[in-house]
């Protein structure tokens, strides 16, 4: 487990401990909820047009979720004031380029996802800034989470460096719908 964890305000320590201890029953993924941002991590594939980028996320792996996607405008538009009032699993996102780095800022999250396993919850006031920088055959994924409602300070996640798959025959498998097979079998607090 990564030792870099967000620092919560003292009034939320009991909630955090409860969620961490009861992960097997409380983790939203066990109820087939989407992982959300930033828990979903970097996309498996990025497609770019003149005015937006599309992030495709792989199904399966350690996730119980089907494949997901995000469409992010990169034409320097501001957040839509009407859509900003709603809440989303993956937030409402806009992006722009800073040199060779794609910067994606997301707001308007619901409170149903976690930042990561172990009960790392957030509020609907969370803002996530993702930075994607290509360095040769690698992609550096760098994330900062700001949530003044529950966090003492912005949380800068440990950057991830991913090797790009250059196989022209690579594909993203289609995911199956999420189905909970384990909930009724969980009888202890032992985490996996």
């Amino acid at each position: 487990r990564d030792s870099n964890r967000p620092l919560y305000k003292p009034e939320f320590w009991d909630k955090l401990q409860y969620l961490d201890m009861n992960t097997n029953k409380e983790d939203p993924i066990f109820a087939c909820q989407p992982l959300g941002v930033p828990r979903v991590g970097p996309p498996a594939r990025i497609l770019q047009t003149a005015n937006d980028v599309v992030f495709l996320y792989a199904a399966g792996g350690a996730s119980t979720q089907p494949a997901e996607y995000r469409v992010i405008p990169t034409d320097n538009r501001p957040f839509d004031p009407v859509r900003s009032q709603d809440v989303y699993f993956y937030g409402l996102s806009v992006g722009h380029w800073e040199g060779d780095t794609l910067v994606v800022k997301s707001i308007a999250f619901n409170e149903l996802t976690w930042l990561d396993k172990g009960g790392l919850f957030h509020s609907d006031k969370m803002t996530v800034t993702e930075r994607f920088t290509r360095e040769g055959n690698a992609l550096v994924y760098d994330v900062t989470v700001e949530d003044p409602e529950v966090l003492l300070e912005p949380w800068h996640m440990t950057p991830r460096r991913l090797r790009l798959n250059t196989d022209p025959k690579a594909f993203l498998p289609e995911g199956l719908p999420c189905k909970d097979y384990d909930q009724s079998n969980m009888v202890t607090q032992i985490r996996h």
Side-chain angles (χ1 to χ4, degrees), residues 25-100:
K25 293 184 180 184
E26 300 292 338
D27 193 327
I29 67 169
F30 291 127
C32 292
Q33 299 291 332
L35 291 173
V37 171
R39 189 175 185 182
V40 71
R45 184 153 188 192
I46 300 173
L47 307 173
Q48 182 179 352
T49 72
N51 294 318
D52 58 26
V53 291
V54 179
F55 291 171
L56 302 175
Y57 296 93
S63 170
T64 60
Q65 308 305 309
E68 298 281 351
Y69 68 92
R70 292 164 63 196
V71 179
I72 302 164
T74 55
D75 57 3
N76 294 316
R77 73 178 70 173
F79 287 109
D80 180 299
V82 174
R83 291 187 64 207
S84 295
Q85 300 306 308
D86 207 349
V87 291
Y88 308 90
F89 285 100
Y90 291 94
L92 179 63
S93 303
V94 295
H96 68 275
W97 290 93
E98 292 179 3
D100 292 338

Side-chain angles (χ1 to χ4, degrees), residues 5-24:
R5 296 171 53 90
L7 297 176
Y8 285 84
K9 293 180 177 180
E11 59 266 33
F12 295 106
W13 291 351
D14 287 342
K15 178 178 179 178
L16 181 64
Q17 281 188 307
Y18 170 81
L19 293 174
D20 186 30
M21 187 59 96
N22 294 284
T23 293
N24 284 352

Side-chain angles (χ1 to χ4, degrees), residues 110-130:
N110 65 36
E111 296 177 335
L112 300 175
T113 63
W114 286 358
L115 301 173
D116 202 353
K117 59 188 168 192
L120 300 183
F121 67 95
H122 61 83
S123 79
D124 62 353
K125 304 293 187 249
M126 174 175 74
T127 300
V128 176
T129 304
E130 300 166 284

Side-chain angles (χ1 to χ4, degrees), residues 91-160:
L92 179 63
S93 303
V94 295
H96 68 275
W97 290 93
E98 292 179 3
D100 292 338
T101 298
L102 173 61
V103 180
V104 176
K105 186 171 184 177
S106 302
I107 62 170
F109 290 94
N110 65 36
E111 296 177 335
L112 300 175
T113 63
W114 286 358
L115 301 173
D116 202 353
K117 59 188 168 192
L120 300 183
F121 67 95
H122 61 83
S123 79
D124 62 353
K125 304 293 187 249
M126 174 175 74
T127 300
V128 176
T129 304
E130 300 166 284
R131 301 175 71 81
F132 301 85
T133 307
R134 185 165 179 175
E135 295 177 355
N137 260 357
L139 181 71
V140 177
Y141 179 63
D142 196 1
V143 180
T144 301
V145 175
E146 297 176 70
D147 192 346
E149 295 287 312
V150 298
L151 298 181
L152 284 171
E153 61 190 27
W155 177 42
H156 185 82
M157 295 173 57
T158 302
R160 294 173 62 183

